[in-house]
Amino acid sequence: MLEIRHLTKVFGKNFKAVDDLSLSVKKGEVFGFLGPNGAGKTTTIKMIVGLLKPNEGSISIGGKDIQKDTIAAKLKIGYVPDEPVMMEKIKGIEYLDFIADMYGVPLQKRRERVEKLTTAFKLRNALRDIVAGYSHGMKQKLSLVAALLHQPDLWILDEPLTGLDPESAFLLKKMMQNHTESGNTVFFSTHLMEIAEKLCDRIGIIHQGKLLFTGTIEELKKEKGEATLERVFLEVTGSEAQQMDFSYLDASE
């Protein structure tokens, strides 16, 4: 479904935000893209969806090259950015209708999907309100609904749990699983190890722009030894956090 080959993005004169990254994401799987803040996750995702142009490499979505066959590739994508960015001077329902028009979703189907999704996210009663008055969490929910209206082959989410209440976060995780059970694919970035462990069929770990590991969590633990995924992640990325001494904070002394 998603094929990335030798992807590189350079900012400024020589800062490689993404460095020769290659990976494949299969149809019907939940793929978790893990890494600490600043690792290159968002830059990679923005290149996948066509918001940034790579300096080198190629990206194919369902056999469509994002640079050579841009429209056909983007029609296969549902994208939820790390920060909800949308037209804020219109009503929520007007925004969803605009997105549905862009993807050619028939009127009856869009109404059914809007009702089902906004009811699930408890957003239905706010659809006649201006988006500018929404909270951050409400905007995130609206962005999630918009990304699912055309039932995309590839659902791409950048840190999707940010700003969601626990109930909505639980619902989103269920939706991600249901999306792949229908034969579609989910690619999402996170730095929350426990989420990846519960949801992902496979993961990729990126650090300083380089892809350090791709495979199942079981394969990662087998390679690095049985431990919590968080500890394995810290080891793979070379974090110094596990060696730091916080004994001076002991209140008993």
Side-chain angles (χ1 to χ4, degrees), residues 17 19 31 50 82 109 141 149 167 207 248:
D19 188 359
F31 188 93
D82 55 340
K109 286 188 179 296
K141 293 176 186 179
L149 283 180
E167 183 180 5
H207 183 52
Y248 69 94

Side-chain angles (χ1 to χ4, degrees), residues 50 88 118 139 192:
E88 297 196 351
T118 57
K139 290 177 183 177
L192 300 174

Side-chain angles (χ1 to χ4, degrees), residues 153-213:
D153 295 338
L154 176 61
W155 196 16
I156 300 177
L157 307 100
D158 192 359
E159 298 284 359
L161 299 177
T162 302
L164 293 182
D165 56 83
E167 183 180 5
S168 296
F170 176 80
L171 177 62
L172 174 59
K173 288 181 277 187
K174 291 279 290 182
M175 286 182 171
M176 291 166 69
Q177 292 174 324
N178 290 340
H179 197 63
T180 56
E181 288 171 2
S182 300
N184 301 305
T185 304
V186 173
F187 181 99
F188 79 102
S189 71
T190 183
H191 59 270
L192 300 174
M193 303 303 106
E194 66 274 16
I195 299 299
E197 192 163 18
K198 291 177 181 177
L199 285 180
C200 298
D201 298 301
R202 290 191 306 131
I203 62 171
I205 297 178
I206 185 173
H207 183 52
Q208 296 180 346
K210 289 184 175 293
L211 191 66
L212 303 181
F213 173 84

